[in-house]
Amino acid sequence: MLHFVMVMSILAGYATVVASLVYSAIALLRVALFRTKSPTSALFLPPITVLKPVCGLEPRLYENLRSFCAQDYPEFQILFGVRDCSDPAIPVIKRLIAEFPARGAALVIDPRVIGSNYKISNLANMIGRARHDILVIADADCKVGPRYLADVAAVFADPKVGAVTCLYRGAPLGKRLADRLGAMFINDWFVPSVLVALLSEPLEYCFGATMAVRRKALEAIGGIETLASYLADDHMLGRLVAGSGYRVALARHIVEVTISEPSLKSLFLHELRWARTMRAVRPKGYALSFVTDALPLSILVGIATGLHSSGLILIGLALLLRVLMHFAARATLGSEGFSWPWLVPLRDLLTFAIRAVSFVGRRVEWGQQKFSVQADGQLVINN
């Protein structure tokens, strides 16, 4: 009986690795075939309000915010919001307002808090100043190309679309190991997983790099205030908009996100927060996400079976597919100069470890504050 159990366990291990390799091959094809450029409709260029919640002097803040001001777009308003009148980002924002006087740029300073998600409080304080019916929200660490607003607006030409989002790539701030590993997680794992998921399910969530929404769709879900206590406000916005009868669509524009992690501990806690959030809002999908860990799984099965030739072949295949994915993501996302294939094993083992830890507990750290992520994704402050 014991022998039978061992044999079945080994077969199950091999089957899991094979399934993971199949996933890796599909993900590789999806990334390699993804086209970031699509024809932009010059006939649909409605006025847009861009909302930029800001908190602190983030790395590359001027360059990132400036990319939203320097848009090749006929009419848009840009609002910057901070919660503290002594926020060090204010001089940068005032410099941009003076640099782009024709953009209707303004700074909103308001300490009002409406929930545990301070970013949403910031947005709620700004939104009353928004003049237009299409609202584009993007985090302060994002940088975009000059056709960004045109690419986003083109998708809204379909009246059934209530929200639009964009994929994004990670750009490390410097040469620190944590920065590079953080960028690799986005480019090599996050983007492929989204593209594979879209093969079998409609897009019903947004990404913080772009949350564009019709004002009517936002009003239909109860306004921005509805998101005030959710950690994954981007995910929840898309879910609620889709639930109200609108479509959520993907614009073919890749946003660049600056990755700045001062230490491996900081990176671990940041990604653990993301993992536990996804576990809360997408429990079934997240439980099955182990299939994306082809390299760690093949290593575990190889060790368990004594590193026989079959196990070594699986490890080799998994490593080959992952390195190919690394270069495919670099080519598709336009991440020139961001290539570190020798870090692939470390990156994958770290992802696997964080995934394992994410199933133990619900506590996360965000902005020097400790929270618990509830089953519905809401944040509860830990005293």
Side-chain angles (χ1 to χ4, degrees):
M1 182 65 180
L2 181 60
H3 177 71
F4 175 78
V5 172
M6 290 179 62
V7 171
M8 293 304 295
S9 297
I10 291 172
L11 290 176
Y14 276 121
T16 301
V17 172
V18 170
S20 190
L21 291 173
V22 170
Y23 166 87
S24 298
I26 294 172
L28 176 60
L29 287 173
R30 288 287 285 169
V31 170
L33 297 176
F34 183 73
R35 294 291 177 264
T36 59
K37 295 182 180 180
S38 61
T40 296
S41 172
L43 301 178
F44 193 75
L45 298 170
I48 287 175
T49 293
V50 179
L51 302 173
K52 297 293 294 186
V54 183
C55 181
L57 197 61
E58 294 195 25
R60 297 175 181 165
L61 183 65
Y62 171 77
E63 293 82 356
N64 291 341
L65 296 183
R66 190 183 189 281
S67 70
F68 286 83
C69 297
Q71 288 293 299
D72 181 12
Y73 199 79
E75 183 181 355
F76 68 97
Q77 171 197 27
I78 184 163
L79 298 175
F80 303 98
V82 299
R83 297 184 54 254
D84 189 341
C85 61
S86 62
D87 194 302
I90 291 177
V92 175
I93 294 171
K94 288 184 175 179
R95 175 185 172 188
L96 288 166
I97 291 174
E99 187 178 349
F100 294 91
R103 294 308 190 193
L107 170 62
V108 178
I109 304 174
D110 192 335
R112 183 177 66 120
V113 175
I114 63 171
S116 52
N117 186 326
Y118 291 170
K119 168 189 165 183
I120 296 300
S121 293
N122 200 348
L123 289 168
N125 298 337
M126 281 190 279
I127 207 164
R129 300 274 297 273
R131 296 199 301 261
H132 304 306
D133 289 333
I134 291 183
L135 309 173
V136 175
I137 303 165
D139 292 339
D141 59 356
C142 296
K143 182 179 179 181
V144 295
R147 298 290 295 170
Y148 167 73
L149 288 182
D151 289 341
V152 170
V155 188
F156 281 111
D158 181 352
K160 295 180 181 179
V161 172
V164 174
T165 193
C166 295
L167 291 175
Y168 56 96
R169 65 171 178 261
L173 178 64
K175 296 182 179 180
R176 291 178 300 200
L177 178 61
D179 291 351
R180 292 181 174 185
L181 291 174
M184 288 178 70
F185 174 77
I186 294 171
N187 302 338
D188 296 11
W189 187 88
F190 166 74
V191 170
S193 69
V194 171
L195 293 178
V196 172
L198 292 180
L199 284 172
S200 59
E201 62 184 24
L203 183 64
E204 294 185 344
Y205 41 86
C206 293
F207 310 120
T210 296
M211 299 190 298
V213 62
R214 293 185 192 273
R215 192 185 292 269
K216 287 183 179 180
L218 190 61
E219 292 172 351
I221 67 171
I224 198 72
E225 294 82 3
T226 305
L227 310 173
S229 294
Y230 287 95
L231 175 55
D233 50 81
D234 49 358
H235 186 281
M236 189 55 61
L237 174 64
R239 177 188 289 184
L240 292 175
V241 168
S244 69
Y246 287 95
R247 283 203 310 114
V248 180
L250 189 68
R252 295 300 178 106
H253 192 102
I254 301 296
V255 177
E256 180 177 287
V257 174
T258 300
I259 306 299
S260 176
E261 298 289 354
S263 66
L264 289 174
K265 179 182 178 181
S266 170
L267 175 68
F268 186 91
L269 292 176
H270 186 177
E271 293 187 1
L272 180 62
R273 183 183 79 205
W274 183 90
R276 284 180 170 163
T277 303
M278 288 300 99
R279 173 190 160 205
V281 299
R282 292 174 60 85
K284 293 181 180 178
Y286 188 75
L288 295 174
S289 62
F290 69 88
V291 76
T292 65
D293 297 320
L295 185 56
L297 289 174
S298 65
I299 292 173
L300 288 176
V301 170
I303 293 174
T305 56
L307 293 176
H308 292 157
S309 58
S310 57
L312 293 175
I313 290 173
L314 291 178
I315 293 172
L317 285 173
L319 182 59
L320 175 62
L321 287 170
R322 271 296 287 113
V323 170
L324 289 175
M325 172 64 77
H326 180 71
F327 285 108
R330 177 177 179 269
T332 294
L333 299 177
S335 305
E336 293 87 356
F338 307 146
S339 178
W340 317 284
W342 56 89
L343 291 179
V344 163
L346 177 59
R347 175 63 264 183
D348 282 20
L349 291 173
L350 178 60
T351 302
F352 189 75
I354 290 172
R355 197 185 318 282
V357 174
S358 71
F359 285 99
V360 184
R362 293 185 176 274
R363 294 189 177 186
V364 299
E365 293 186 18
W366 188 23
Q368 308 302 317
Q369 179 69 57
K370 294 183 178 180
F371 300 89
S372 291
V373 184
Q374 302 303 296
D376 62 353
Q378 292 199 64
L379 287 170
V380 174
I381 298 175
N382 291 333
N383 297 321

